[in-house]
Amino acid sequence: METFLIRALQLIMSLSLLVIIHEGGHFLFARLFKTRVEKFCLFFDPWFTLFKFKPKNSETEYGIGWLPLGGYVKIAGMIDESMDTEQMKQPMQPWEFRAKPAWQRLLIMIGGVLFNFLLALFIYSMILFAWGDEYVPLQKAPLGMDFNETAKAIGFRDGDILVSADGVPFERYGGDMLTSIVDARQVSVLRNGQEVSVYIPEDMMERLLADSVRFASFRYPFVIDSIMPGQPAALAGLQPGDSITQLDGRNIAYFDFKEEMLNRQKAANDSTSRLLTLTYVRAGVADTVKLTTDSLYQIGVAASLQTNKLLPVVKKEYSFFASIPAGVTLGVNTLKGYVSQMKYLFSKEGAKQLGGFGTIGSIFPATWDWYQFWYMTAFLSIILAFMNILPIPALDGGHVLFLIYEIVARRKPSDKFMERAQMVGMFLLFGLLIWANFNDVLRFFF
């Protein structure tokens, strides 16, 4: 329950900030061009509003709705979510949206998307300034990677070190790595000291989506964190900090060791030998010990999982001014990666992966972490900007599309057409929202 509340709070805080910034972009451009904004609402407020106030001598009422699915600004003289068609039947006023030149209306409509994108760039820059950039170089991961079954089916093997995709070297683990792999013809890996090529099928992403399991993860060494007195490990002379690299002469990583010991426990009988030969590294020097486990194949050690100590980590520090171009680059690359993966949304498996608020909430950490909170907020801001600029009626991109048509054709679409387009767009969006959250329900119960 505590985990749910922490994630829910992060989700609400993040979405609230993004909605305020997005609608603030529309609001500021509208006020810049002396267009009246009748209402600024965080969240939607059908039937009633939780809180509202209207400052003295202000044309705008500010409020908080009860339905946390977004927010809106009601701009006078515009066909929007409010579907206020009665206002559109009245004589046009100079302070209305419809009375402004097309280029001003265009800037008002893209204001939200622009502000969301700028917010993401600012957050990324401040993250780099405050925390720097920390990552594990893929080519220097000492034990390589563990791969899922889909990856193994096309030729990857546990322990492979990822080198390059179509000749372009890998740098770090993340979305860019996965995009490079699924778009490549072949991936080079280092296997047992030799470079091997793995050929990538054209439907690689569809296979991964159907698998629904992470493509790969780092293999961590089994580094001893603590030892129980009197147990086999202690009697054999093992010490905290020792890294177990081999079990009975076979190279082994953390999860391999745990799985092997569990399998031996299940298969054990009275005639089964419980003698183990362990190779370990201490202060850079390898050595071997023999020990006999108890009947449960426990040797009396606890492993360390502090990844920043187990894997070679590169950390880049940024000054305030250096963080800005680096943050812009990170934001632009994030947007490119997200756009490149959008095509998979329209596949059968991609549609199944579409998620609603449950999925969005799950990307936040279970414990409060400001770094992760801001990183995910920046990512969601990128997504919100991109999704809103899609040329779909009821979204900002739909209004932009009709405004571009007006500029090119030198005539406006009729109000009746705009009303119908708005209704169609809202129907599509609500259908998408229902489908995404229905997927969340299916994943929760099944």
Side-chain angles (χ1 to χ4, degrees):
M1 185 62 179
E2 181 181 356
T3 297
F4 171 79
L5 292 176
I6 291 174
R7 282 179 166 155
L9 179 59
Q10 291 180 89
L11 175 62
I12 292 173
M13 286 180 58
S14 181
L15 291 182
S16 297
L17 173 63
L18 298 183
V19 169
I20 289 172
I21 294 297
H22 182 89
E23 302 304 334
H26 295 309
F27 179 86
L28 290 177
F29 274 103
R31 299 307 298 139
L32 177 65
F33 300 129
K34 296 180 171 51
T35 305
R36 181 174 296 178
V37 179
E38 298 176 347
K39 193 169 186 177
F40 189 129
C41 194
L42 172 63
F43 306 146
F44 293 123
D45 58 345
W47 304 297
F48 68 93
T49 304
L50 294 178
F51 169 79
K52 61 182 178 181
F53 76 100
K54 187 173 184 180
K56 188 177 180 180
N57 300 323
S58 174
E59 300 169 341
T60 306
E61 177 184 276
Y62 301 88
I64 299 177
W66 61 271
L67 190 60
L69 300 180
Y72 68 95
V73 288
K74 187 177 184 306
I75 300 175
M78 175 183 173
I79 298 175
D80 57 12
E81 298 92 339
S82 66
M83 297 302 294
D84 188 358
T85 57
E86 291 301 318
Q87 184 184 65
M88 303 301 292
K89 296 176 183 178
Q90 304 302 316
M92 185 168 59
Q93 302 297 324
W95 35 260
E96 288 185 328
F97 178 82
R98 56 181 169 167
K100 303 300 178 181
W103 68 270
Q104 291 185 4
R105 285 180 278 134
L106 182 62
L107 287 175
I108 292 172
M109 292 316 306
I110 66 174
V113 169
L114 176 63
F115 272 45
N116 273 136
F117 187 61
L118 292 177
L119 174 66
L121 300 185
F122 175 75
I123 293 176
Y124 280 134
S125 298
M126 292 304 96
I127 287 175
L128 294 176
F129 174 61
W131 287 283
D133 183 19
E134 192 171 287
Y135 64 96
V136 176
L138 280 171
Q139 297 183 30
K140 293 184 179 180
L143 300 180
M145 313 290 287
D146 280 326
F147 297 89
N148 67 12
E149 293 305 317
T150 300
K152 291 177 182 178
I154 67 168
F156 289 100
R157 296 291 178 265
D158 288 341
D160 286 351
I161 297 175
L162 294 170
V163 177
S164 63
D166 286 343
V168 180
F170 290 113
E171 181 181 11
R172 66 178 72 194
Y173 184 94
D176 290 343
M177 176 204 76
L178 186 59
T179 299
S180 298
I181 289 174
V182 298
D183 290 340
R185 294 291 302 274
Q186 71 176 47
V187 172
S188 296
V189 301
L190 195 62
R191 181 182 299 166
N192 299 324
Q194 295 184 337
E195 193 162 308
V196 177
S197 293
V198 178
Y199 295 91
I200 309 299
E202 293 183 358
D203 63 343
M204 183 63 181
M205 181 57 84
E206 285 80 359
R207 296 190 191 189
L208 290 175
L209 290 173
D211 197 37
S212 299
V213 178
R214 179 177 290 191
F215 169 75
S217 58
F218 286 110
R219 287 168 62 87
Y220 298 106
F222 193 103
V223 177
I224 299 175
D225 181 68
S226 59
I227 297 179
M228 296 178 63
Q231 294 297 307
L235 297 175
L238 293 175
Q239 298 177 9
D242 290 348
S243 178
I244 298 176
T245 59
Q246 291 186 346
L247 171 62
D248 292 338
R250 182 168 65 88
N251 291 337
I252 203 156
Y254 172 79
F255 288 108
D256 297 331
F257 187 80
K258 301 283 285 188
E259 184 178 3
E260 179 65 22
M261 297 296 275
L262 181 61
N263 290 339
R264 293 191 183 194
Q265 175 188 332
K266 292 178 179 178
N269 54 53
D270 293 339
S271 63
T272 301
S273 171
R274 297 199 299 273
L275 179 65
L276 304 179
T277 301
L278 298 180
T279 299
Y280 66 94
V281 176
R282 180 186 299 166
V285 179
D287 201 355
T288 301
V289 296
K290 295 182 182 294
L291 52 83
T292 302
T293 68
D294 62 18
S295 60
L296 296 178
Y297 276 85
Q298 302 294 319
I299 64 174
V301 298
S304 172
L305 281 180
Q306 299 181 40
T307 57
N308 61 331
K309 295 181 179 179
L310 302 181
L311 297 174
V313 176
V314 173
K315 184 171 183 179
K316 296 181 181 179
E317 302 283 356
Y318 292 89
S319 67
F320 177 79
F321 291 106
S323 69
I324 296 175
V328 171
T329 300
L330 177 57
V332 171
N333 289 339
T334 301
L335 176 61
K336 288 180 179 178
Y338 183 74
V339 172
S340 69
Q341 295 180 27
M342 275 295 293
K343 58 186 176 183
Y344 301 110
L345 178 64
F346 302 100
S347 66
K348 178 181 178 181
E349 296 300 332
K352 292 179 182 179
Q353 298 303 314
L354 189 66
F357 291 101
T359 298
I360 298 173
S362 68
I363 68 177
F364 288 96
T367 57
W368 197 275
D369 184 325
W370 281 111
Y371 172 85
Q372 290 295 332
F373 171 80
W374 287 117
Y375 199 91
M376 297 317 306
T377 297
F379 180 61
L380 290 177
S381 196
I382 291 281
I383 294 176
L384 183 61
F386 175 73
M387 295 300 292
N388 262 282
I389 205 61
L390 293 177
I392 299 174
L395 292 177
D396 296 340
H399 291 282
V400 169
L401 178 65
F402 296 136
L403 282 167
I404 292 175
Y405 166 80
E406 178 184 338
I407 293 172
V408 173
R410 298 184 181 278
R411 63 187 181 91
K412 294 182 181 180
S414 68
D415 288 347
K416 183 60 68 176
F417 172 82
M418 293 296 291
E419 290 172 17
R420 290 174 177 171
Q422 185 75 16
M423 292 180 66
V424 169
M426 291 177 67
F427 177 80
L428 291 174
L429 292 179
F430 277 117
L432 185 63
L433 185 65
I434 292 170
W435 174 255
N437 285 281
F438 177 69
N439 280 345
D440 283 349
V441 173
L442 290 179
R443 279 190 283 266
F444 181 79
F445 287 104
F446 301 101

